Amino acid sequence: MQEMSIEEFVVYFGDRYELEVKNAGIRFNHNAYIPMPLERNISVVLIDIDRIDQVLTNIIYNAIKHTPKGGSINLQFLVDGPTLVVRVRDNGSGIEGHDVPFIFDRFYKKSKSRNTSEGGSGLGLSIAKEIVDYHGGNIWAESQVGQGACISFMLPLRPPM
């Protein structure tokens, strides 16, 4: 676990996925909403950078898989009180409303007929949830079929040591 300032977090993860998304033929944008000045007691996150990278990789690769060429993925960072909220929004196929509550369950796939050659193992988002939980955060999803999905997670902010 290491301390990372909000600004370092935004720069590191904001640039991390741009090339891969664009190589998939999808527009990529990232932006941050950070109130200035920040409160002194909430300016860093304490993270395992490799595990948070794994969370974002799982979310962004799912977005790539379900967004057609020419679509878009937006990565947003938002300081909301004592938390840093990270959102990955796409304009792809979306998730059926009855599936949304289960997408973070192990081995859950929205289509039971899918086999592993056509999709993933159903573990990516459940692993992302476990990692975010370990960091004291929360993860959730919002979606409308045909209009895309937004997977968000929050991490607690803390004072620097």
Side-chain angles (χ1 to χ4, degrees), residues 5 66 74 84 99 127 141:
S5 74
H66 296 285
N74 187 49
L84 174 63
D99 287 318
I127 291 169

Side-chain angles (χ1 to χ4, degrees), residues 29-42:
N29 301 300
H30 62 89
N31 49 49
Y33 301 98
I34 303 171
M36 292 296 177
L38 284 172
E39 294 179 36
R40 295 189 71 174
N41 62 339
I42 58 160

